[in-house]
Every structure is written in structure tokens, then in C-alpha cells.
Amino acid sequence: MRYYKKELWEMMNSTNVNKRERAEEEWDNNDRRYNEYMDKISVKINRSILETIKMFKRFHDYIVEGIYISTKSKEIKCCKIKLRNDETRLCIILEGLKKIRIQFNGFESCIQGRLQWGYSEFELLSGGVLRLSVLCDFDNEFAFEFKNLYVTME
């Protein structure tokens, strides 16, 4: 994650007021920089992907119910990420996957004992590939590099 760093998120939850205020200021600056970056690259990203990201508020605070990876002959075909909140159940479908990285260290640091989608960043890579990085909590994060993203309501 380039903008929404877990170290900053941890500091924003500090009991030290000065540390927390500095972290919140840096977080706000990074948020502004990330939004500027997204504005800049938005002309190169499929409009439906951008609309989906915006409509679901970058999936912030959704609970991750499962990550399902389909393969064929050692090649990743597709990844489905099932999410829910109090009102909605979603399935994010990533196609044209190039790379997946999942760092899961357990539920001890999960918010309310559940893997929850905290903050996410999209990054445009070469060849029209997008990277989606997700910070779930202080110990768990994942990243996907893909060509297409779809969301279905469940």
C-alpha cells in the first residue's frame, strides 16, 4: 500500500494524542494524493470499474466472507471475493489475473474477530493491468493484479 499504510492506521488508533494527530494529518494528505492519482489514471481505466468502485465506496468496512480462486493447468483463471455488510452481499469477480498475494496472520488482530475490508488502493500497472491492494487490519492484507473487475449482488 502506497497511501493507506498500516503503520499510519495503527498510529491513528494510538492513545498518544500527538502521535494520533500527526498520523491523522498524514492520512488526510495521503487520501488527497490518492484521489489525485485516481483522477489522473481514471481516463485509462474501464469506466464500469470506476463506477463500481465509487458505488460501493471502495468496499470499505465490508466483511470478507471468502476468497475463491479458480485455476486451470496451474494458471489462475478467476478470483471471487465474497463480501457483505448489514445491507448487501456482493461478489467481486477478478478476471485476467496475473498475480495474487495474501498475507493472513490470523484473526487475533481482526476488527470484531472478522476479516474486514478496511482500506483499498487501485494502481494502474503496465499493459492495462490493475493492482488492487487491501488493508484488512493491522496484520492481514491482500493484493490482486488483474485486467477486469465485475461485481454481482448476491
Side-chain angles (χ1 to χ4, degrees), residues 32-76:
R32 180 187 45 75
R33 288 178 39 237
Y34 177 71
N35 287 322
E36 289 170 358
Y37 170 75
M38 284 301 292
D39 287 344
K40 186 173 100 176
I41 67 168
S42 65
V43 296
K44 299 177 183 176
I45 298 175
N46 181 319
R47 180 176 290 298
S48 68
I49 292 175
L50 292 172
E51 288 171 359
T52 299
I53 293 166
K54 188 175 183 177
M55 181 170 49
F56 294 107
K57 298 179 177 122
R58 295 194 323 233
F59 312 108
H60 180 71
D61 283 343
Y62 275 76
I63 294 166
V64 179
E65 291 189 319
I67 299 173
Y68 307 91
I69 301 166
S70 301
T71 60
K72 183 178 181 182
S73 301
K74 297 184 182 179
E75 181 181 321
I76 302 167

Side-chain angles (χ1 to χ4, degrees), residues 54-112:
K54 188 175 183 177
M55 181 170 49
F56 294 107
K57 298 179 177 122
R58 295 194 323 233
F59 312 108
H60 180 71
D61 283 343
Y62 275 76
I63 294 166
V64 179
E65 291 189 319
I67 299 173
Y68 307 91
I69 301 166
S70 301
T71 60
K72 183 178 181 182
S73 301
K74 297 184 182 179
E75 181 181 321
I76 302 167
K77 298 305 276 179
C78 165
C79 180
K80 294 181 180 180
I81 307 166
K82 298 209 176 202
L83 304 174
R84 72 171 169 83
N85 65 12
D86 292 337
E87 304 151 4
T88 312
R89 287 185 180 275
L90 305 173
C91 181
I92 300 172
I93 302 165
L94 304 174
E95 295 181 336
L97 277 135
K98 307 295 181 197
K99 191 179 205 179
I100 296 174
R101 181 182 58 78
I102 298 175
Q103 176 188 326
F104 181 74
N105 294 317
F107 288 101
E108 293 79 26
S109 63
C110 287
I111 299 165
Q112 299 176 347

Side-chain angles (χ1 to χ4, degrees), residues 89-152:
R89 287 185 180 275
L90 305 173
C91 181
I92 300 172
I93 302 165
L94 304 174
E95 295 181 336
L97 277 135
K98 307 295 181 197
K99 191 179 205 179
I100 296 174
R101 181 182 58 78
I102 298 175
Q103 176 188 326
F104 181 74
N105 294 317
F107 288 101
E108 293 79 26
S109 63
C110 287
I111 299 165
Q112 299 176 347
R114 299 177 295 201
L115 189 59
Q116 196 162 344
W117 190 295
Y119 297 94
S120 56
E121 298 176 3
F122 287 84
E123 181 181 354
L124 182 61
L125 306 175
S126 63
V129 173
L130 284 171
R131 177 184 295 135
L132 166 60
S133 300
V134 180
L135 178 60
C136 295
D137 48 50
F138 304 133
D139 276 340
N140 303 305
E141 45 188 310
F142 41 87
F144 305 91
E145 293 179 11
F146 61 94
K147 291 287 255 179
N148 295 307
L149 176 148
Y150 307 96
V151 174
T152 59

